[in-house]
Amino acid sequence: MTVLVWVDLEDGEPDGLSLEALTFGRGLATTLGSPLDAVVVGGDAPAAALGAYGVATVHAVRDDRLTSFAPAAWAQGIVDVIDATLPDAVLASGGDRGAEVLAHVAAKTGYALAANCTSVTPSDAYEVTRLRWGGSLLEEARLTGDVKLLTVAPHAVSASPAADAAAAPNVVDVTPNLSDDDLRVHVVRREEPEGGAISLADAKVVVGGGRGVGSAEGFADLDALAAALGGTVGVSRVVTSLGWRPHTQQVGQTGARIAPDLYIACGISGAIQHIVGCKAAKKILVINTDPEAPILSHADYAIIGDLKTVVPAITAELAKRA
């Protein structure tokens, strides 16, 4: 028996959420006394990077048609690995791509899938804790079946290499059994962010803005603060709905889920959908005129005041200390 983790690649290396899934999977494998395996699809296997996280064997699914994201086809590659190895459990990150690919795996195999898990206790049936209703409650559930499928809730664990990583893992090439239907949906084009832009996923500091910013022009102060802190700007859903900023900057249940060192929430009331996206931040500073705003219950620090005055004052003070 093995624990198998699907690893998504970004520029040829495991992405951050996949490293979290590997860390989660390694803990499960240790409890089971089983080896930890990984499967990658559509790219070269980064053996050294995966070995550092305790992976014993990498299953590299190779086909020229898999170079762009095709969820059903990528899932078929994972299914072929499952059929060949019969793992005890298959894990993926709970990000957008991981959730979609593993849902296809569940549909193809008929195995049960537990999504957005934060912990697991294996026995004849796995006892799992998972996020429900956008993270507003935790559910205790039992997962049964010959192969258990789980996605790991983003930022439920911190990615950490294995303390006793062994030699580079064995790499096994896999040729998937693809049908034309598997390839009907695939990515045909990607629009990259502007050069030099810091992504929400990578930013150590995120300055968030909500309806209280007042207008698209009002974000100039937030942009200046984010630049002074070496961070980037995120926004609430209402801001994108108003057309003030693009959806790519949205933080929340239907946007990005972030885990910066510091999240500065400016003029954001704190609806649960937004809290889902930012609650993994190590520290939260709230700037708001409303002392009763729901987001204050999640704040480590708060400034009750007008962001149009407070934000420029912070930026000016940072400039003095630069």
Side-chain angles (χ1 to χ4, degrees):
M1 289 292 187
T2 61
V3 173
L4 180 67
V5 178
W6 172 60
V7 174
D8 199 5
L9 303 180
E10 184 175 357
D11 297 327
E13 295 296 325
D15 71 359
L17 292 181
S18 292
L19 294 179
E20 293 177 4
L22 282 171
T23 303
F24 190 99
R26 188 176 69 239
L28 174 59
T30 299
T31 302
L32 291 169
S34 302
L36 176 67
D37 285 3
V39 53
V40 298
V41 180
D44 292 331
L50 296 174
Y53 276 77
V55 172
T57 300
V58 183
H59 304 272
V61 179
R62 302 184 189 276
D63 189 296
D64 290 342
R65 295 169 291 177
L66 296 178
T67 53
S68 65
F69 182 56
W74 286 28
Q76 183 58 49
I78 297 170
V79 169
D80 290 334
V81 175
I82 292 172
D83 291 342
T85 62
L86 295 177
D88 194 63
V90 180
L91 282 66
S93 82
D96 291 342
R97 297 206 333 176
E100 185 171 11
V101 168
L102 220 61
H104 279 285
V105 171
K108 286 173 175 287
T109 61
Y111 295 132
L113 167 63
N116 286 320
C117 295
T118 60
S119 67
V120 57
T121 302
S123 57
D124 291 339
Y126 283 14
E127 304 287 342
V128 299
T129 302
R130 65 196 197 103
L131 300 179
R132 295 295 306 275
W133 291 97
S136 60
L137 60 85
L138 297 175
E139 176 187 84
E140 303 290 340
R142 290 165 55 86
L143 180 61
T144 61
D146 294 335
V147 179
K148 288 84 171 174
L149 307 179
L150 304 88
T151 62
V152 180
H155 315 308
V157 297
S158 297
S160 60
D164 54 349
N170 183 38
V171 178
V172 177
D173 288 343
V174 177
T175 301
N177 182 26
L178 301 179
S179 68
D180 290 340
D181 282 348
D182 289 330
L183 293 157
R184 285 198 302 173
V185 176
H186 61 277
V187 172
V188 296
R189 184 181 76 251
R190 292 185 61 180
E191 294 190 12
E192 300 293 342
E194 296 178 7
I198 300 173
S199 72
L200 283 170
D202 298 331
K204 297 299 183 183
V205 177
V206 175
V207 180
R211 187 193 298 271
V213 175
S215 66
E217 293 72 23
F219 276 89
D221 288 340
L222 276 64
D223 287 327
L225 178 57
L229 292 169
T232 194
V233 169
V235 302
S236 65
R237 183 187 60 80
V238 69
V239 169
T240 63
S241 297
L242 290 167
W244 294 350
R245 303 289 279 210
H247 176 72
T248 53
Q249 294 183 343
Q250 183 179 325
V251 173
Q253 186 175 357
T254 55
R257 301 192 184 195
I258 59 174
D261 293 338
L262 175 63
Y263 180 56
I264 304 175
C266 306
I268 295 174
S269 63
I272 185 61
Q273 291 85 353
H274 186 77
I275 299 302
V276 167
C278 68
K279 66 182 181 180
K282 294 181 177 64
K283 296 293 181 182
I284 297 177
L285 165 62
V286 171
I287 303 172
N288 205 298
T289 56
D290 181 5
E292 303 298 326
I295 198 170
L296 286 165
S297 64
H298 301 275
D300 297 284
Y301 312 99
I303 300 173
I304 306 304
D306 186 347
L307 67 88
K308 296 180 178 65
T309 301
V310 174
V311 171
I314 295 173
T315 305
E317 187 62 28
L318 291 170
K320 291 177 184 178
R321 303 188 182 198

